[in-house]
Amino acid sequence: MAENYSEYDVHANVNCVECHETDEHQIGRRIPLDSTHEDYVEVKSCDSEGCHAGISHGGIVDAHLETIECETCHIPMLPGGNITGKAPISSFSWENGVLEETYHESNFTPTLAWSKGIYNEKLPVMASKDEEGVKLKAFNPINGVWWDEGLDQDVLTNPDNSSSLGNPISPSIVKAADSNGDGKVTSSEIRSYDGNLDKQPDYPNAILRHVDLLYQVSHNIVSKDIGMSDPLKCDNCHGVSASGSLHVNWTLLGYDKDPAETTPPTNFSAKEIPVTIPGQKPVEVEREPAF
C-alpha cells in the first residue's frame, strides 16, 4: 500500500475489521445472492450503527438512497498507476491461449451501473434498471476476453452481455488450436480443433466472448476535505451545467435522456447539498449584543 494512501481514502486509517467484522474465522464480505452457505458474515453498510447512521443530505438526496448506493457519489475517481501499490487491471484476454493484461496507468472514472448484488454462479454484468431490488453502484469495469464452447444458448445469442458462466475453453487447448503457430487463434482454428483425434471438431460452436465484468468498489471514499476529487453533486449527473461532462451515461443505464431533465433546463450547479449529522452542534451565529 502506498504511504500516501490516506490522501485518497477517508477510511484509509480505519482498521479493516471495523467494517469487515469477523466471526469464527469468517471475514465480513458481500454475500452472494445464490449462496447456500449459512456462515457468511456480511460487511457493515454505511448506515450501520457506529458508522454513518442517521446522516442526512437533505430530502432530495436522501430520496436517491432508495436506488443509489452511497459509494456512487462518494467514489468519483479511482487511482491508477502505483498509487495503491499496484496499477489496477483494465482488461485481460485469453484469446490466444496466453494471458494478456492491460492496466490503468492513470486515474480513471468508475462505471455507474445497476446491480442487485453478486452471485456465485453468474458473471458480474450490468442488470436492468427494471429488475426488482437493483441499485446504482460504482464499479471498476474489467473487460475480459475468452473462448467459450458455445453450448449455452444464451451465450451464443448474447455472448458479450450474458451473465451465464457458459463453458470456457481451457487456455492450454486454445493455445494448442493455433494450427499455423502464428500466436493468433482464429475462429476457424478453434472450431476445427480435434484434440482427441476422432476426426470430429471438439468445439464446432466455439465463440469468443468480450465481457465487461463489473467489480463493485467500496474503497477510495472521498469527502469534501479528503480524496482525489470532491463527492459528486447534482450537476455532475443532471442538467445543462454538466453538458458534455456528465459523470453518468443515461443511455447505458436504460434511459432515453436524463430523467431529471426539465423545460426550461435547470442549472443544477446552483443546487447545494446540506449535510446534517446526528448530535452535531448547531452552527453558532454571531449577533450584536442586545444591550
Side-chain angles (χ1 to χ4, degrees):
M1 186 69 71
E3 292 182 4
N4 62 344
Y5 187 59
S6 59
E7 299 176 13
Y8 301 95
D9 192 336
V10 295
H11 293 152
N13 296 318
V14 174
N15 193 301
C16 299
V17 296
E18 290 188 43
C19 298
H20 298 273
E21 294 181 310
T22 61
D23 182 34
E24 297 292 333
H25 299 287
Q26 292 291 324
I27 299 175
R29 53 168 290 187
R30 294 190 183 94
I31 300 177
L33 298 177
D34 56 354
S35 173
T36 57
H37 199 303
E38 297 181 356
D39 297 327
Y40 277 134
V41 179
E42 193 161 15
V43 67
K44 278 188 175 181
S45 64
C46 299
D47 59 357
S48 295
E49 198 63 40
C51 296
H52 305 294
I55 289 181
S56 172
H57 292 73
I60 294 178
V61 174
D62 287 355
H64 279 59
L65 295 177
E66 295 181 9
T67 53
I68 296 176
E69 294 281 16
C70 302
E71 296 94 331
T72 304
C73 297
H74 282 274
I75 307 181
M77 189 72 67
L78 291 171
N82 295 316
I83 289 176
T84 59
K86 182 179 179 180
I89 187 171
S90 173
S91 70
F92 68 87
S93 174
W94 289 100
E95 181 175 1
N96 300 307
V98 293
L99 179 60
E100 300 174 71
E101 296 177 313
T102 63
Y103 299 87
H104 290 286
E105 300 300 341
S106 58
N107 300 340
F108 62 103
T109 302
T111 291
L112 302 186
W114 298 110
S115 174
K116 296 177 67 173
I118 61 173
Y119 294 85
N120 284 321
E121 301 299 328
K122 289 184 180 181
L123 295 177
V125 298
M126 186 186 298
S128 165
K129 68 179 178 64
D130 299 319
E131 290 184 45
E132 184 178 354
V134 296
K135 276 196 165 186
L136 193 63
K137 304 177 182 181
F139 295 90
N140 172 17
I142 299 177
N143 182 262
V145 179
W146 65 91
W147 287 100
D148 186 272
E149 293 185 32
L151 303 178
D152 185 315
Q153 186 58 48
D154 191 47
V155 171
L156 281 175
T157 304
N158 199 16
D160 298 342
N161 296 300
S162 171
S163 63
S164 173
L165 297 179
N167 304 89
I169 300 175
S170 168
S172 61
I173 292 176
V174 173
K175 190 173 183 179
D178 181 16
S179 57
N180 62 6
D182 67 350
K184 303 292 183 182
V185 178
T186 65
S187 294
S188 60
E189 285 178 321
I190 192 70
R191 289 176 179 174
S192 61
Y193 177 70
D194 179 17
N196 57 12
L197 303 178
D198 64 354
K199 297 184 179 181
Q200 296 293 326
D202 296 343
Y203 309 104
N205 298 317
I207 189 168
L208 189 64
R209 303 186 69 179
H210 297 77
V211 184
D212 284 330
L213 303 167
L214 301 177
Y215 295 94
Q216 188 176 345
V217 290
S218 295
H219 299 134
N220 302 107
I221 301 290
V222 305
S223 69
K224 64 182 180 65
D225 300 314
I226 296 176
M228 306 176 65
S229 178
D230 291 331
L232 297 185
K233 295 182 179 180
C234 303
D235 65 328
N236 289 118
C237 297
H238 301 293
V240 293
S241 55
S243 179
S245 59
L246 289 176
H247 191 86
V248 58
N249 183 332
W250 291 115
T251 302
L252 182 68
L253 294 177
Y255 294 92
D256 294 330
K257 60 181 181 179
D258 178 355
E261 184 176 308
T262 60
T263 303
T266 299
N267 185 342
F268 282 92
S269 63
K271 303 291 184 181
E272 294 294 328
I273 299 178
V275 179
T276 304
I277 301 174
Q280 185 180 43
K281 183 180 178 181
V283 177
E284 295 184 4
V285 179
E286 293 187 7
R287 295 182 178 179
E288 293 293 330
F291 301 99

